[in-house]
Amino acid sequence: MTIPRAIRPLKHSGALRSARSAFSTTSTARTTSVTLKALGLDSYNLGVYNGEWSGNGDVVETVNPATGEVLGAVQQASGKDLDHTLQCATKAAKMWREVPAPKRGEI
């Protein structure tokens, strides 16, 4: 069976492939940076929030599979972080349930 020319993969020279790869990496880094800034994020972020950002656990990186470039990293919670965050959430829930429903609706 012959594959029609329109859907056959094109063969590119090594120079063109290198140029595309460099452009893609630069373009991806620029796009990633703009996207993270628009979301109020940096390339490295703390991943636990309980009134303030923290994190003392492992760091998880997001990697572009096409280039191997690290797009961003987040510091996860440790066991102590989790316990503290759950204590804060429990305390907040107790205070919140005392607020009358119409008042909660205004917020």
Side-chain angles (χ1 to χ4, degrees):
M1 179 175 143
T2 303
I3 300 174
R5 182 182 170 114
I7 59 172
R8 268 190 246 156
L10 298 175
K11 294 184 180 178
H12 298 290
S13 71
L16 179 58
R17 204 171 304 124
S18 294
R20 278 190 173 172
S21 178
F23 174 77
S24 176
T25 300
T26 303
S27 178
T28 300
R30 198 174 315 120
T31 302
T32 300
S33 177
V34 169
T35 302
L36 289 173
K37 284 182 182 177
L39 295 170
L41 300 171
D42 295 315
S43 59
Y44 173 82
N45 299 280
L46 298 172
V48 182
Y49 188 79
N50 56 17
E52 63 184 14
W53 287 102
S54 65
N56 295 296
D58 295 337
V59 174
V60 176
E61 295 180 332
T62 299
V63 178
N64 180 334
T67 64
E69 172 193 9
V70 175
L71 301 174
V74 175
Q75 179 116 27
Q76 298 182 95
S78 66
K80 284 184 178 181
D81 293 330
L82 176 60
D83 290 341
H84 180 67
T85 301
L86 290 174
Q87 287 172 0
C88 290
T90 301
K91 182 179 174 182
K94 287 176 183 176
M95 291 186 325
W96 185 244
R97 72 177 172 211
E98 297 300 321
V99 176
K103 198 68 153 166
R104 289 192 307 237
E106 293 174 9
I107 298 171

mmCIF file of all heavy atoms in Angstrom, residues 48 77-87:
data_model
loop_
_atom_site.group_PDB
_atom_site.id
_atom_site.type_symbol
_atom_site.label_atom_id
_atom_site.label_comp_id
_atom_site.label_asym_id
_atom_site.label_seq_id
_atom_site.Cartn_x
_atom_site.Cartn_y
_atom_site.Cartn_z
ATOM 1 N N VAL A 48 0.991 24.549 49.875
ATOM 2 C CA VAL A 48 0.052 24.363 50.978
ATOM 3 C C VAL A 48 -0.433 25.738 51.413
ATOM 4 O O VAL A 48 0.363 26.629 51.644
ATOM 5 C CB VAL A 48 0.730 23.661 52.178
ATOM 6 C CG1 VAL A 48 -0.272 23.437 53.295
ATOM 7 C CG2 VAL A 48 1.362 22.356 51.748
ATOM 8 N N ALA A 77 3.193 19.353 50.761
ATOM 9 C CA ALA A 77 3.053 19.361 52.216
ATOM 10 C C ALA A 77 3.810 18.190 52.837
ATOM 11 O O ALA A 77 3.884 17.110 52.264
ATOM 12 C CB ALA A 77 1.583 19.259 52.602
ATOM 13 N N SER A 78 4.318 18.435 54.032
ATOM 14 C CA SER A 78 4.860 17.347 54.846
ATOM 15 C C SER A 78 3.714 16.854 55.740
ATOM 16 O O SER A 78 2.622 17.438 55.740
ATOM 17 C CB SER A 78 6.011 17.860 55.707
ATOM 18 O OG SER A 78 5.529 18.795 56.663
ATOM 19 N N GLY A 79 3.945 15.846 56.522
ATOM 20 C CA GLY A 79 2.931 15.365 57.458
ATOM 21 C C GLY A 79 2.539 16.448 58.455
ATOM 22 O O GLY A 79 1.355 16.626 58.771
ATOM 23 N N LYS A 80 3.530 17.190 58.964
ATOM 24 C CA LYS A 80 3.255 18.277 59.907
ATOM 25 C C LYS A 80 2.429 19.372 59.239
ATOM 26 O O LYS A 80 1.527 19.933 59.859
ATOM 27 C CB LYS A 80 4.551 18.876 60.440
ATOM 28 C CG LYS A 80 5.235 18.039 61.471
ATOM 29 C CD LYS A 80 6.463 18.765 62.023
ATOM 30 C CE LYS A 80 7.139 17.948 63.099
ATOM 31 N NZ LYS A 80 8.312 18.654 63.648
ATOM 32 N N ASP A 81 2.754 19.683 57.965
ATOM 33 C CA ASP A 81 1.990 20.692 57.222
ATOM 34 C C ASP A 81 0.527 20.273 57.127
ATOM 35 O O ASP A 81 -0.382 21.081 57.318
ATOM 36 C CB ASP A 81 2.533 20.888 55.800
ATOM 37 C CG ASP A 81 3.910 21.508 55.750
ATOM 38 O OD1 ASP A 81 4.258 22.295 56.656
ATOM 39 O OD2 ASP A 81 4.644 21.196 54.789
ATOM 40 N N LEU A 82 0.305 19.008 56.821
ATOM 41 C CA LEU A 82 -1.054 18.497 56.681
ATOM 42 C C LEU A 82 -1.807 18.606 58.005
ATOM 43 O O LEU A 82 -2.941 19.093 58.042
ATOM 44 C CB LEU A 82 -1.041 17.047 56.198
ATOM 45 C CG LEU A 82 -2.397 16.364 56.101
ATOM 46 C CD1 LEU A 82 -3.312 17.094 55.127
ATOM 47 C CD2 LEU A 82 -2.239 14.909 55.704
ATOM 48 N N ASP A 83 -1.184 18.187 59.079
ATOM 49 C CA ASP A 83 -1.832 18.273 60.393
ATOM 50 C C ASP A 83 -2.198 19.715 60.729
ATOM 51 O O ASP A 83 -3.316 19.995 61.178
ATOM 52 C CB ASP A 83 -0.922 17.699 61.488
ATOM 53 C CG ASP A 83 -0.771 16.189 61.407
ATOM 54 O OD1 ASP A 83 -1.626 15.547 60.762
ATOM 55 O OD2 ASP A 83 0.203 15.663 61.976
ATOM 56 N N HIS A 84 -1.262 20.624 60.520
ATOM 57 C CA HIS A 84 -1.511 22.038 60.836
ATOM 58 C C HIS A 84 -2.640 22.601 59.969
ATOM 59 O O HIS A 84 -3.525 23.319 60.461
ATOM 60 C CB HIS A 84 -0.234 22.857 60.651
ATOM 61 C CG HIS A 84 -0.404 24.305 60.946
ATOM 62 N ND1 HIS A 84 -0.660 24.790 62.207
ATOM 63 C CD2 HIS A 84 -0.386 25.386 60.129
ATOM 64 C CE1 HIS A 84 -0.775 26.100 62.167
ATOM 65 N NE2 HIS A 84 -0.617 26.486 60.905
ATOM 66 N N THR A 85 -2.630 22.267 58.692
ATOM 67 C CA THR A 85 -3.663 22.755 57.779
ATOM 68 C C THR A 85 -5.036 22.216 58.168
ATOM 69 O O THR A 85 -6.028 22.952 58.138
ATOM 70 C CB THR A 85 -3.321 22.369 56.322
ATOM 71 O OG1 THR A 85 -2.057 22.954 55.993
ATOM 72 C CG2 THR A 85 -4.369 22.838 55.348
ATOM 73 N N LEU A 86 -5.114 20.953 58.555
ATOM 74 C CA LEU A 86 -6.393 20.378 58.980
ATOM 75 C C LEU A 86 -6.890 21.020 60.273
ATOM 76 O O LEU A 86 -8.090 21.250 60.441
ATOM 77 C CB LEU A 86 -6.272 18.859 59.133
ATOM 78 C CG LEU A 86 -6.103 18.089 57.824
ATOM 79 C CD1 LEU A 86 -5.843 16.612 58.100
ATOM 80 C CD2 LEU A 86 -7.301 18.267 56.913
ATOM 81 N N GLN A 87 -5.984 21.333 61.189
ATOM 82 C CA GLN A 87 -6.372 22.028 62.420
ATOM 83 C C GLN A 87 -6.935 23.410 62.092
ATOM 84 O O GLN A 87 -7.960 23.818 62.651
ATOM 85 C CB GLN A 87 -5.176 22.169 63.366
ATOM 86 C CG GLN A 87 -4.771 20.879 64.016
ATOM 87 C CD GLN A 87 -3.463 21.018 64.792
ATOM 88 O OE1 GLN A 87 -2.863 22.089 64.842
ATOM 89 N NE2 GLN A 87 -3.017 19.922 65.385
#
